[in-house]
Amino acid sequence: QNYLITRLRAASVDDDARTFATIPSRTSMSHADLWGGAERMAAALVQMGVVPGDRVAVQVEKTIEAIQLYLGTVMAGGVFLPLNTAYTTPEVAYFLGDATPRVVVCDPAKEVAIVEISNGVHVVTLDAAGQGSMSDAAAQMSGFVPIDRSADDLAAILYTSGTTGRSKGAMLSHKNLASNSETLRDYWRFTSADVLIHALPIFHTHGLFVATNVALLAGASVVFLARYDPDLILDAMPQATALMGVPTFYTRLLGDPRLTRKQAVNMRLFISGSAPLLVDTHESWEQRTGHRILERYGMTETNMNTSNPYDGERRAGTVGFPLPGVQARILKDGIEVPDGEIGVLEVRGDNVFKGYWQMPKKTAEELQADGWFITGDLARVDQDGYVTIVGRSKDLVITGGFNVYPKEVESLIDDIPGVLESAVIGVPHPDFGEAVVAVVVPDGEDLQAQGIIDALADQLAKFKQPKKVIILPELPRNTMGKVQKKALREEYSTLFA
Ligand code: ATP
Ligand code: MG
């Protein structure tokens, strides 16, 4: 048996004529056709020489065929290794050198360049319409019996987003993926009656594992969108039941007058994650649609760790409770902190990865022998058990020997009239080591840096107050909506030099 595939297929296998995906302006696809195509992909990969444990590196546009390639790779006993479509060829060269895949699948437009950097590895193509030499090879095949793989075998290597440094390859086992998606399906009550709007990229854990695996495990169907598209998302809502998005989906949709209570009346669940959702967005969404967004927290290395409850209070600004089967603790200087105090969050459970690919030292530093993984996120738990992520330990500012948690300052700035959002960073300073700097995005109105400094004067200890406020039209973000503080720190590194 193939541990993950058996589980992903179980919910639809007896009733596989039902729709798996609706693809606006293209077609729809049944569960039977999804899996039939996946089997042909698996057979084609085996013919290309893929043996169990081999990596299949994939940098392609989001298509159902790419989903079939993911499933086919796992069926063939391989390790699926998706790459962000934004990576340039030199960046891809690093990943291929690191991961040494058996097969590389890329867009036809990049084929020549990829062949040049791939050292004789087999390169095939898949385009934005699902066509290419990979699908041609698959079309020659018929049927495939999944190769036996057990719980601890690798199913994927997923690279982290590279927000804090160079991306690391997280090795994820069949059980890591299956157990977490089963937990989420049950926690969020996904069933075969659900229609999930799938508009996230599939090179990241959110779109690939949370959205795709949960839908498959529930035997649900998806409205399959190649990317975030407000027209298509709003069109889909009356026929759909759930949306998974990053915070920018929600802020952008709020800017669209077509988002109304009526449009969302058939929806039962809006889920947000991958980056912090502003309390403001949570509240505006509820006012506009009548729905309280369910925020959850996870990372590439661990899948999902915490979630707000399905029933019960979804508390804005928090990421809810540790999921069933996930243990969480918060430590400072090696000791667990009392409720309400900030420390580094550690998690343990079947969801936690097997280590970083070819980085034994980093793995040993962060994944401890007793199974506790140091997330690098700073968090606190309130007396009701809700977890709040207050930032990353790498973003902590240390100024004149004092710790400043950016989130505390950001929250106060965000409450100042005329402010949309903010990012607080530490930059080198000759006297203080680091100085607090606030980058602030105005809410359309005229906003003065001095006004912000004045507004904070009575609210914060002197050392926490920004030494400089910079007004910008928007914050730099990646495709997952993550604010790129590293880029801001680089940009303003010489402010006090
Ligand atoms: P890298 O590890 O390469 O620096 P990254 O941590 O951004 O990049 P991901 O694994 O994609 O890569 O993101 C996980 C991180 O995203 C978490 O550690 C956390 O900081 C952040 N995150 C995810 N969900 C939430 C959330 N709901 N609220 C706040 N932060 C979140
Ligand atoms: Mg990370």
Side-chain angles (χ1 to χ4, degrees):
Q1 274 209 345
N2 185 299
Y3 189 95
L4 178 60
I5 294 297
T6 306
R7 282 163 177 75
L8 292 179
R9 204 168 182 171
S12 61
V13 76
D14 292 328
D15 186 15
D16 62 3
R18 284 182 306 113
T19 301
F20 167 64
T22 311
I23 308 157
S25 82
R26 223 182 125 187
T27 170
S28 69
M29 182 181 270
S30 67
H31 284 269
D33 288 344
L34 173 79
W35 286 102
E39 287 176 358
R40 288 190 292 277
M41 291 280 189
L45 290 170
V46 168
Q47 200 167 65
M48 291 170 202
V50 170
V51 297
D54 277 351
R55 278 77 57 208
V56 175
V58 175
Q59 189 193 36
V60 296
E61 293 299 324
K62 180 180 174 184
T63 58
I64 285 287
E65 289 75 9
I67 298 281
Q68 291 171 322
L69 182 57
Y70 151 54
L71 298 172
T73 300
V74 181
M75 280 177 156
V79 179
F80 189 66
L81 195 153
L83 294 170
N84 192 327
T85 43
Y87 289 147
T88 61
T89 305
E91 285 168 321
V92 172
Y94 159 74
F95 290 108
L96 298 187
D98 188 45
T100 56
R102 174 80 59 185
V103 172
V104 181
V105 189
C106 69
D107 196 89
K110 290 193 175 166
E111 188 179 7
V112 172
I114 299 280
V115 167
E116 223 160 87
I117 57 159
S118 53
N119 288 321
V121 175
H122 200 102
V123 178
V124 281
T125 63
L126 194 63
D127 70 12
Q131 305 293 313
S133 53
M134 183 68 226
S135 4
D136 293 345
Q140 306 298 315
M141 306 290 150
S142 61
F144 186 81
V145 179
I147 289 177
D148 284 356
R149 293 266 88 185
S150 57
D152 279 333
D153 286 324
L154 292 192
I157 296 176
L158 218 59
Y159 281 87
T160 60
S161 295
T163 309
T164 57
R166 180 148 245 182
S167 291
K168 302 145 275 179
M171 300 190 284
L172 296 159
S173 71
H174 281 239
K175 189 169 190 174
N176 290 153
L177 301 180
S179 68
N180 199 246
S181 301
E182 280 167 355
T183 300
L184 296 175
R185 173 196 60 196
D186 298 341
Y187 206 73
W188 296 337
R189 313 270 171 91
F190 274 86
T191 70
S192 59
D194 274 301
V195 180
L196 172 69
I197 303 177
H198 193 311
L200 292 160
I202 53 173
F203 50 73
H204 184 266
T205 184
H206 197 169
L208 185 62
F209 298 138
V210 184
T212 309
N213 286 357
V214 167
L216 287 171
L217 280 169
S221 83
V222 297
V223 177
F224 197 76
L225 307 179
R227 60 188 60 80
Y228 170 83
D229 179 323
D231 297 347
L232 293 178
I233 289 178
L234 287 160
D235 278 357
M237 271 189 200
Q239 290 79 245
T241 62
L243 172 70
M244 291 184 191
V246 294
T248 41
F249 279 26
Y250 294 102
T251 49
R252 289 192 210 157
L253 284 169
L254 277 167
D256 196 311
R258 293 171 297 173
L259 177 74
T260 59
R261 199 169 274 259
K262 188 156 162 275
Q263 198 68 15
V265 76
N266 195 49
M267 297 286 287
R268 69 170 183 89
L269 186 58
F270 291 96
I271 299 175
S272 176
S274 292
L277 184 78
L278 296 173
V279 172
D280 220 35
T281 311
H282 192 281
E283 288 168 354
S284 310
W285 192 268
E286 184 176 16
Q287 275 167 19
R288 187 87 79 80
T289 68
H291 289 278
R292 288 178 73 80
I293 296 173
L294 186 156
E295 184 171 5
R296 94 300 178 278
Y297 153 78
M299 53 199 302
T300 307
E301 296 92 329
T302 62
N303 302 287
M304 300 306 105
N305 292 311
T306 73
S307 171
N308 270 280
Y310 189 81
D311 297 321
E313 190 195 346
R314 297 179 193 164
R315 204 170 278 184
T318 81
V319 292
F321 309 113
L323 284 162
V326 179
Q327 292 172 273
R329 65 182 189 192
I330 297 177
L331 273 77
K332 194 174 180 176
D333 305 325
I335 304 163
E336 270 191 67
V337 301
D339 284 357
E341 279 185 31
I342 294 171
V344 176
L345 179 64
E346 298 188 1
V347 295
R348 181 163 77 171
D350 285 341
N351 57 315
V352 174
F353 74 144
K354 299 283 162 203
Y356 293 111
W357 172 256
Q358 291 189 333
M359 290 178 132
K361 198 162 156 272
K362 184 138 192 88
T363 302
E365 277 164 20
E366 283 161 32
L367 181 56
Q368 301 164 88
D370 57 2
W372 286 100
F373 172 61
I374 304 170
T375 63
D377 287 312
L378 297 166
R380 69 178 135 72
V381 182
D382 69 19
Q383 58 206 27
D384 302 325
Y386 286 83
V387 176
T388 298
I389 305 294
V390 302
R392 297 170 185 263
S393 38
K394 285 192 174 164
D395 290 334
L396 180 75
V397 186
I398 305 175
T399 177
F402 294 110
N403 286 356
V404 178
Y405 297 103
K407 178 89 178 261
E408 183 189 359
V409 185
E410 288 161 4
S411 302
L412 289 172
I413 296 178
D414 294 350
D415 283 342
I416 297 172
V419 172
L420 183 65
E421 58 174 350
S422 59
V424 165
I425 54 170
V427 305
H429 188 284
D431 296 338
F432 300 102
E434 281 187 307
V436 177
V437 169
V439 181
V440 181
V441 179
D443 198 2
E445 295 163 48
D446 178 43
L447 190 69
Q448 301 298 325
Q450 191 55 44
I452 290 168
I453 290 174
D454 294 345
L456 294 175
D458 300 334
Q459 298 196 61
L460 278 176
K462 185 89 183 145
F463 71 91
K464 296 182 188 171
Q465 293 174 20
K467 299 225 162 13
K468 182 132 193 132
V469 171
I470 292 154
I471 312 264
L472 280 190
E474 59 181 18
L475 298 175
R477 283 195 155 83
N478 73 0
T479 32
M480 299 308 291
K482 293 172 191 286
V483 175
Q484 304 294 288
K485 287 196 170 180
K486 190 167 57 122
L488 287 174
R489 278 193 293 265
E490 279 160 18
E491 170 92 29
Y492 300 112
S493 61
T494 56
L495 217 51
F496 301 97

PDB file of all heavy atoms in Angstrom, residues 18-38:
ATOM      1  N   ARG A  18     -18.382  11.740  -9.465  1.00  0.00           N
ATOM      2  CA  ARG A  18     -18.666  13.108  -9.004  1.00  0.00           C
ATOM      3  C   ARG A  18     -17.547  14.066  -9.424  1.00  0.00           C
ATOM      4  O   ARG A  18     -16.406  13.665  -9.617  1.00  0.00           O
ATOM      5  CB  ARG A  18     -18.828  13.130  -7.478  1.00  0.00           C
ATOM      6  CG  ARG A  18     -20.174  12.579  -7.004  1.00  0.00           C
ATOM      7  CD  ARG A  18     -20.311  12.652  -5.491  1.00  0.00           C
ATOM      8  NE  ARG A  18     -19.189  11.996  -4.845  1.00  0.00           N
ATOM      9  CZ  ARG A  18     -18.276  12.647  -4.127  1.00  0.00           C
ATOM     10  NH1 ARG A  18     -18.350  13.940  -3.941  1.00  0.00           N
ATOM     11  NH2 ARG A  18     -17.268  11.984  -3.582  1.00  0.00           N
ATOM     12  N   THR A  19     -17.919  15.339  -9.496  1.00  0.00           N
ATOM     13  CA  THR A  19     -16.942  16.348  -9.906  1.00  0.00           C
ATOM     14  C   THR A  19     -15.867  16.534  -8.841  1.00  0.00           C
ATOM     15  O   THR A  19     -16.185  16.682  -7.667  1.00  0.00           O
ATOM     16  CB  THR A  19     -17.655  17.693 -10.120  1.00  0.00           C
ATOM     17  OG1 THR A  19     -18.650  17.500 -11.125  1.00  0.00           O
ATOM     18  CG2 THR A  19     -16.688  18.773 -10.565  1.00  0.00           C
ATOM     19  N   PHE A  20     -14.617  16.539  -9.271  1.00  0.00           N
ATOM     20  CA  PHE A  20     -13.548  16.962  -8.356  1.00  0.00           C
ATOM     21  C   PHE A  20     -13.284  18.454  -8.545  1.00  0.00           C
ATOM     22  O   PHE A  20     -13.211  19.205  -7.588  1.00  0.00           O
ATOM     23  CB  PHE A  20     -12.251  16.180  -8.577  1.00  0.00           C
ATOM     24  CG  PHE A  20     -11.080  16.834  -7.862  1.00  0.00           C
ATOM     25  CD1 PHE A  20     -11.071  16.908  -6.483  1.00  0.00           C
ATOM     26  CD2 PHE A  20     -10.035  17.418  -8.571  1.00  0.00           C
ATOM     27  CE1 PHE A  20     -10.031  17.560  -5.803  1.00  0.00           C
ATOM     28  CE2 PHE A  20      -9.000  18.072  -7.895  1.00  0.00           C
ATOM     29  CZ  PHE A  20      -9.000  18.133  -6.512  1.00  0.00           C
ATOM     30  N   ALA A  21     -13.138  18.870  -9.795  1.00  0.00           N
ATOM     31  CA  ALA A  21     -12.771  20.268 -10.027  1.00  0.00           C
ATOM     32  C   ALA A  21     -13.637  20.902 -11.095  1.00  0.00           C
ATOM     33  O   ALA A  21     -13.929  20.288 -12.111  1.00  0.00           O
ATOM     34  CB  ALA A  21     -11.307  20.362 -10.441  1.00  0.00           C
ATOM     35  N   THR A  22     -14.027  22.142 -10.816  1.00  0.00           N
ATOM     36  CA  THR A  22     -14.646  22.969 -11.837  1.00  0.00           C
ATOM     37  C   THR A  22     -13.605  24.016 -12.189  1.00  0.00           C
ATOM     38  O   THR A  22     -13.063  24.674 -11.300  1.00  0.00           O
ATOM     39  CB  THR A  22     -15.893  23.674 -11.273  1.00  0.00           C
ATOM     40  OG1 THR A  22     -16.694  22.697 -10.620  1.00  0.00           O
ATOM     41  CG2 THR A  22     -16.694  24.335 -12.379  1.00  0.00           C
ATOM     42  N   ILE A  23     -13.327  24.114 -13.480  1.00  0.00           N
ATOM     43  CA  ILE A  23     -12.315  25.069 -13.917  1.00  0.00           C
ATOM     44  C   ILE A  23     -13.014  26.092 -14.802  1.00  0.00           C
ATOM     45  O   ILE A  23     -13.350  25.789 -15.943  1.00  0.00           O
ATOM     46  CB  ILE A  23     -11.193  24.353 -14.703  1.00  0.00           C
ATOM     47  CG1 ILE A  23     -10.662  23.165 -13.880  1.00  0.00           C
ATOM     48  CG2 ILE A  23     -10.067  25.316 -15.050  1.00  0.00           C
ATOM     49  CD1 ILE A  23     -10.001  22.100 -14.714  1.00  0.00           C
ATOM     50  N   PRO A  24     -13.274  27.290 -14.267  1.00  0.00           N
ATOM     51  CA  PRO A  24     -14.033  28.268 -15.040  1.00  0.00           C
ATOM     52  C   PRO A  24     -13.422  28.471 -16.425  1.00  0.00           C
ATOM     53  O   PRO A  24     -12.197  28.516 -16.553  1.00  0.00           O
ATOM     54  CB  PRO A  24     -13.946  29.537 -14.195  1.00  0.00           C
ATOM     55  CG  PRO A  24     -13.696  29.051 -12.808  1.00  0.00           C
ATOM     56  CD  PRO A  24     -12.875  27.810 -12.957  1.00  0.00           C
ATOM     57  N   SER A  25     -14.292  28.555 -17.425  1.00  0.00           N
ATOM     58  CA  SER A  25     -13.907  28.775 -18.816  1.00  0.00           C
ATOM     59  C   SER A  25     -13.120  27.603 -19.400  1.00  0.00           C
ATOM     60  O   SER A  25     -12.649  27.674 -20.526  1.00  0.00           O
ATOM     61  CB  SER A  25     -13.098  30.065 -19.001  1.00  0.00           C
ATOM     62  OG  SER A  25     -11.740  29.850 -18.685  1.00  0.00           O
ATOM     63  N   ARG A  26     -12.959  26.511 -18.679  1.00  0.00           N
ATOM     64  CA  ARG A  26     -12.304  25.379 -19.289  1.00  0.00           C
ATOM     65  C   ARG A  26     -13.264  24.194 -19.240  1.00  0.00           C
ATOM     66  O   ARG A  26     -13.977  23.940 -20.185  1.00  0.00           O
ATOM     67  CB  ARG A  26     -10.991  25.055 -18.559  1.00  0.00           C
ATOM     68  CG  ARG A  26      -9.840  24.734 -19.521  1.00  0.00           C
ATOM     69  CD  ARG A  26      -8.561  24.376 -18.769  1.00  0.00           C
ATOM     70  NE  ARG A  26      -8.046  23.072 -19.176  1.00  0.00           N
ATOM     71  CZ  ARG A  26      -7.019  22.453 -18.586  1.00  0.00           C
ATOM     72  NH1 ARG A  26      -6.402  23.010 -17.560  1.00  0.00           N
ATOM     73  NH2 ARG A  26      -6.619  21.281 -19.002  1.00  0.00           N
ATOM     74  N   THR A  27     -13.371  23.531 -18.144  1.00  0.00           N
ATOM     75  CA  THR A  27     -14.139  22.302 -18.090  1.00  0.00           C
ATOM     76  C   THR A  27     -14.329  21.899 -16.647  1.00  0.00           C
ATOM     77  O   THR A  27     -13.989  22.626 -15.731  1.00  0.00           O
ATOM     78  CB  THR A  27     -13.377  21.192 -18.850  1.00  0.00           C
ATOM     79  OG1 THR A  27     -14.013  19.946 -18.609  1.00  0.00           O
ATOM     80  CG2 THR A  27     -11.937  21.084 -18.372  1.00  0.00           C
ATOM     81  N   SER A  28     -14.887  20.719 -16.433  1.00  0.00           N
ATOM     82  CA  SER A  28     -14.856  20.176 -15.090  1.00  0.00           C
ATOM     83  C   SER A  28     -14.264  18.783 -15.185  1.00  0.00           C
ATOM     84  O   SER A  28     -14.183  18.198 -16.263  1.00  0.00           O
ATOM     85  CB  SER A  28     -16.258  20.144 -14.475  1.00  0.00           C
ATOM     86  OG  SER A  28     -17.042  19.206 -15.130  1.00  0.00           O
ATOM     87  N   MET A  29     -13.821  18.283 -14.048  1.00  0.00           N
ATOM     88  CA  MET A  29     -13.141  16.995 -14.037  1.00  0.00           C
ATOM     89  C   MET A  29     -13.642  16.155 -12.874  1.00  0.00           C
ATOM     90  O   MET A  29     -13.771  16.658 -11.759  1.00  0.00           O
ATOM     91  CB  MET A  29     -11.638  17.225 -13.909  1.00  0.00           C
ATOM     92  CG  MET A  29     -10.840  15.932 -13.928  1.00  0.00           C
ATOM     93  SD  MET A  29      -9.085  16.253 -13.751  1.00  0.00           S
ATOM     94  CE  MET A  29      -8.601  16.427 -15.462  1.00  0.00           C
ATOM     95  N   SER A  30     -13.920  14.879 -13.151  1.00  0.00           N
ATOM     96  CA  SER A  30     -14.405  14.000 -12.089  1.00  0.00           C
ATOM     97  C   SER A  30     -13.237  13.495 -11.257  1.00  0.00           C
ATOM     98  O   SER A  30     -12.078  13.570 -11.667  1.00  0.00           O
ATOM     99  CB  SER A  30     -15.153  12.818 -12.700  1.00  0.00           C
ATOM    100  OG  SER A  30     -14.218  12.020 -13.406  1.00  0.00           O
ATOM    101  N   HIS A  31     -13.571  12.915 -10.100  1.00  0.00           N
ATOM    102  CA  HIS A  31     -12.542  12.270  -9.290  1.00  0.00           C
ATOM    103  C   HIS A  31     -11.889  11.136 -10.085  1.00  0.00           C
ATOM    104  O   HIS A  31     -10.671  10.940 -10.026  1.00  0.00           O
ATOM    105  CB  HIS A  31     -13.148  11.722  -7.989  1.00  0.00           C
ATOM    106  CG  HIS A  31     -13.443  12.775  -6.972  1.00  0.00           C
ATOM    107  ND1 HIS A  31     -12.549  13.170  -6.017  1.00  0.00           N
ATOM    108  CD2 HIS A  31     -14.547  13.545  -6.779  1.00  0.00           C
ATOM    109  CE1 HIS A  31     -13.083  14.119  -5.260  1.00  0.00           C
ATOM    110  NE2 HIS A  31     -14.302  14.365  -5.713  1.00  0.00           N
ATOM    111  N   ALA A  32     -12.706  10.401 -10.849  1.00  0.00           N
ATOM    112  CA  ALA A  32     -12.159   9.283 -11.638  1.00  0.00           C
ATOM    113  C   ALA A  32     -11.115   9.793 -12.639  1.00  0.00           C
ATOM    114  O   ALA A  32     -10.042   9.201 -12.792  1.00  0.00           O
ATOM    115  CB  ALA A  32     -13.284   8.568 -12.377  1.00  0.00           C
ATOM    116  N   ASP A  33     -11.425  10.897 -13.307  1.00  0.00           N
ATOM    117  CA  ASP A  33     -10.479  11.434 -14.295  1.00  0.00           C
ATOM    118  C   ASP A  33      -9.231  12.021 -13.633  1.00  0.00           C
ATOM    119  O   ASP A  33      -8.128  11.917 -14.168  1.00  0.00           O
ATOM    120  CB  ASP A  33     -11.163  12.502 -15.158  1.00  0.00           C
ATOM    121  CG  ASP A  33     -12.166  11.874 -16.117  1.00  0.00           C
ATOM    122  OD1 ASP A  33     -12.108  10.638 -16.314  1.00  0.00           O
ATOM    123  OD2 ASP A  33     -13.027  12.611 -16.639  1.00  0.00           O
ATOM    124  N   LEU A  34      -9.435  12.621 -12.476  1.00  0.00           N
ATOM    125  CA  LEU A  34      -8.272  13.136 -11.747  1.00  0.00           C
ATOM    126  C   LEU A  34      -7.294  11.994 -11.479  1.00  0.00           C
ATOM    127  O   LEU A  34      -6.097  12.091 -11.783  1.00  0.00           O
ATOM    128  CB  LEU A  34      -8.710  13.753 -10.416  1.00  0.00           C
ATOM    129  CG  LEU A  34      -7.536  14.156  -9.506  1.00  0.00           C
ATOM    130  CD1 LEU A  34      -6.949  15.484  -9.966  1.00  0.00           C
ATOM    131  CD2 LEU A  34      -7.939  14.231  -8.045  1.00  0.00           C
ATOM    132  N   TRP A  35      -7.808  10.907 -10.918  1.00  0.00           N
ATOM    133  CA  TRP A  35      -6.939   9.803 -10.517  1.00  0.00           C
ATOM    134  C   TRP A  35      -6.433   9.015 -11.724  1.00  0.00           C
ATOM    135  O   TRP A  35      -5.295   8.531 -11.715  1.00  0.00           O
ATOM    136  CB  TRP A  35      -7.659   8.901  -9.514  1.00  0.00           C
ATOM    137  CG  TRP A  35      -7.749   9.571  -8.168  1.00  0.00           C
ATOM    138  CD1 TRP A  35      -8.850  10.185  -7.629  1.00  0.00           C
ATOM    139  CD2 TRP A  35      -6.700   9.742  -7.217  1.00  0.00           C
ATOM    140  NE1 TRP A  35      -8.538  10.718  -6.395  1.00  0.00           N
ATOM    141  CE2 TRP A  35      -7.235  10.453  -6.112  1.00  0.00           C
ATOM    142  CE3 TRP A  35      -5.353   9.368  -7.175  1.00  0.00           C
ATOM    143  CZ2 TRP A  35      -6.473  10.794  -4.992  1.00  0.00           C
ATOM    144  CZ3 TRP A  35      -4.604   9.701  -6.055  1.00  0.00           C
ATOM    145  CH2 TRP A  35      -5.163  10.408  -4.977  1.00  0.00           C
ATOM    146  N   GLY A  36      -7.259   8.932 -12.770  1.00  0.00           N
ATOM    147  CA  GLY A  36      -6.803   8.266 -13.995  1.00  0.00           C
ATOM    148  C   GLY A  36      -5.592   8.993 -14.565  1.00  0.00           C
ATOM    149  O   GLY A  36      -4.581   8.373 -14.943  1.00  0.00           O
ATOM    150  N   GLY A  37      -5.682  10.324 -14.595  1.00  0.00           N
ATOM    151  CA  GLY A  37      -4.562  11.125 -15.097  1.00  0.00           C
ATOM    152  C   GLY A  37      -3.341  11.002 -14.199  1.00  0.00           C
ATOM    153  O   GLY A  37      -2.196  10.960 -14.678  1.00  0.00           O
ATOM    154  N   ALA A  38      -3.580  10.930 -12.886  1.00  0.00           N
ATOM    155  CA  ALA A  38      -2.467  10.796 -11.943  1.00  0.00           C
ATOM    156  C   ALA A  38      -1.751   9.468 -12.167  1.00  0.00           C
ATOM    157  O   ALA A  38      -0.514   9.402 -12.130  1.00  0.00           O
ATOM    158  CB  ALA A  38      -2.981  10.907 -10.508  1.00  0.00           C
TER     159      ALA A  38
END
